[in-house]
Amino acid sequence: LTTYSYNISNQKVDCIFDATINQLENYAPANAVVIITDHHIAALYSQQLSAYRVITFVAGESNKTQSTVDQIIQQLILMEIDREALIVGVGGGVVTDIVGFVASIYKRGLRFGFIPTTILAMVDAAIGGKNGVNVGLYKNMVGTIVQPSFILFDYTFLQTLPEAEWRNGFAEIIKHACIRDAEMFSNLQQHQLIDYIKDAKLLTDIIQKNVAIKLEIVAQDTLEKKERLFLNFGHTVGHAIENSAQLKHGYAVAIGMAFACQLSEKIIDFNPNETAKVIQLLKQYQLPTTADLDVDMIINLVQADKKRTGKEIRFVLLSAIGDASIQAIPIETIRAQLIEISS
Ligand code: ADP
Ligand code: ZN
């Protein structure tokens, strides 16, 4: 088994890259495991999950709410789950965000791990310990930062992943390339999504690389004071349009990254040819780069962003492909740029 263990805020996180769900036995006996998953995964993989107790909730970002958390906690209480249990989230980013949150608050915290089943969860959501729920249109407004004990990568789950979800996850991979890794950016330019879907070696390589990028950033700055802010590239505007325009997270982030590149040209002389390269790469992976924007609604949501202080927001810009920079930008500058690109 290819296992990497990382230390984040004094907590050990194992990443097992060629795992199957059976490796759970290294962490707890089957009768101590409680799997929490969404109803799609539960239906598709009932066989694989049959050895464990399973709690299911309805899939979808709109269910990433406190009410879902409360329902899961009710079931944990009914099942008399105690602190010796191991909670395992099996699913995409919605599952990992909710399950990490539940496990970090139920009885003041139980041991937990993840088996991510989407690209997005494998390279992003399952890593870094951010857990939580949305409050209305406000994304991830309530939550905790607690690390999972382990993340098992079992690629067989990806055989049923719809192509739209592959694209969704590649938006975060392109994000990592933009902020940290020019070489990965050019590797991505040389391939199509279908190459990664078909070629297991290519896929494991890029997943491991992205996990390493994210873990390294999180290990440097778990509490998001500095380096971790880079991971918000494309996300300030992305989050604001995601819920209001009913877009998948990665699609909204793709539009947000295109916007951030254009803003980078204005503020820190990012080369317009590089903006063109980022936009071209997003299109190559069949991601959107523009949308009809409701500027007032976006500005309202941006003002509620956790990265805002007063009339400014800490915004992630690019100085070059592979190199990010944080600048405090007046909300009014963002409004002007949004108006410019939407007219
Ligand atoms: P993410 O935030 O990672 O995109 P979600 O948790 O919102 O993920 O999952 C997206 C959708 O894909 C959900 O409907 C979920 O049930 C479904 N899904 C997740 N993993 C798989 C899989 N391996 N096969 C089929 N469907 C999946
Ligand atoms: Zn994201």
Side-chain angles (χ1 to χ4, degrees):
L1 291 176
T2 319
T3 304
Y4 290 99
S5 295
Y6 294 81
N7 247 316
I8 303 181
S9 320
N10 291 322
Q11 205 187 314
K12 185 158 91 65
V13 181
D14 297 339
C15 293
I16 304 170
F17 284 110
D18 40 11
T20 68
I21 192 170
N22 300 328
Q23 260 88 49
L24 283 179
E25 70 190 22
N26 298 331
Y27 294 93
N31 63 13
V33 170
V34 181
I35 303 266
I36 305 180
T37 189
D38 73 34
H39 72 301
H40 290 146
I41 315 272
L44 286 166
Y45 295 98
S46 57
Q47 178 87 47
Q48 287 82 345
L49 302 179
S50 60
Y52 311 99
R53 283 172 292 186
V54 179
I55 294 175
T56 303
F57 64 90
V58 180
E61 183 73 25
S62 60
N63 296 310
K64 205 177 102 175
T65 58
Q66 186 63 42
S67 142
T68 302
V69 168
D70 293 342
Q71 287 166 38
I72 294 170
I73 289 174
Q74 286 298 339
Q75 294 189 62
L76 290 169
I77 295 169
L78 274 175
M79 288 176 169
E80 300 179 359
I81 302 305
D82 61 28
R83 283 178 152 175
E84 302 310 307
L86 174 68
I87 307 265
V88 181
V90 180
V94 170
V95 171
T96 59
D97 281 16
I98 287 189
V99 174
F101 188 41
V102 166
S104 72
I105 58 174
Y106 176 70
K107 300 203 171 171
R108 297 206 185 86
L110 262 62
R111 201 158 61 104
F112 69 100
F114 295 136
I115 304 179
T117 65
T118 65
I119 298 292
L120 190 139
M122 287 181 182
V123 301
D124 188 17
I127 306 160
K130 276 194 190 175
N131 316 298
V133 295
N134 303 327
V135 180
L137 287 183
Y138 302 114
K139 295 270 298 161
N140 304 326
M141 192 47 82
V142 169
T144 57
I145 299 187
V146 181
Q147 306 299 326
S149 301
F150 60 83
I151 308 170
L152 301 188
F153 294 81
D154 179 346
Y155 300 107
T156 59
F157 284 101
L158 296 176
Q159 286 165 12
T160 54
L161 189 69
E163 199 180 311
E165 290 299 330
W166 281 83
R167 296 202 280 269
N168 196 28
F170 268 72
E172 300 286 3
I173 290 177
I174 292 171
K175 178 191 80 180
H176 285 152
C178 285
I179 61 169
R180 263 295 152 109
D181 196 332
E183 188 188 315
M184 185 165 80
F185 192 94
S186 62
N187 285 338
L188 286 162
Q189 287 178 309
Q190 287 152 35
H191 290 285
Q192 308 286 333
L193 188 56
I194 192 75
D195 301 336
Y196 295 96
I197 297 177
K198 293 209 161 134
D199 184 338
K201 170 84 172 77
L202 204 59
L203 181 70
T204 359
D205 283 354
I206 199 149
I207 296 223
Q208 288 192 34
K209 181 159 237 168
N210 278 276
V211 170
I213 290 174
K214 173 126 192 210
L215 276 166
E216 194 186 297
I217 292 177
V218 172
Q220 283 171 357
D221 175 26
T222 313
L223 298 180
E224 196 168 292
K225 303 272 182 236
K226 204 162 162 252
E227 289 86 357
R228 191 164 186 171
L229 285 166
F230 292 157
L231 294 169
N232 292 309
F233 179 58
H235 281 61
T236 303
V237 166
H239 274 161
I241 58 179
E242 177 175 349
N243 284 355
S244 55
Q246 297 275 352
L247 285 167
K248 281 186 194 298
H249 178 72
Y251 293 47
V253 169
I255 295 166
M257 289 193 282
F259 175 84
C261 288
Q262 289 155 342
L263 192 61
S264 304
E265 289 178 22
K266 291 264 164 66
I267 312 250
I268 52 170
D269 279 334
F270 184 55
N271 186 333
N273 294 330
E274 304 262 288
T275 299
K277 281 187 203 164
V278 173
I279 290 179
Q280 168 54 33
L281 189 65
L282 292 168
K283 289 186 171 156
Q284 190 174 321
Y285 285 83
Q286 300 157 61
L287 288 158
T289 56
T290 53
D292 277 337
L293 304 177
D294 178 341
V295 175
D296 288 333
M297 160 107 70
I298 294 173
I299 291 297
N300 257 333
L301 290 166
V302 164
Q303 280 173 332
D305 194 289
K306 296 183 282 305
K307 294 177 297 303
R308 181 180 66 93
T309 41
K311 288 188 161 47
E312 295 191 324
I313 182 150
R314 278 174 296 167
F315 206 97
V316 187
L317 301 174
L318 295 187
S319 47
I321 287 172
D323 204 358
S325 144
I326 312 268
Q327 307 275 327
I329 298 186
I331 306 267
E332 283 316 306
T333 305
I334 293 171
R335 182 197 296 276
Q337 180 70 20
L338 283 168
I339 291 170
E340 184 178 322
I341 65 155
S342 60
S343 56

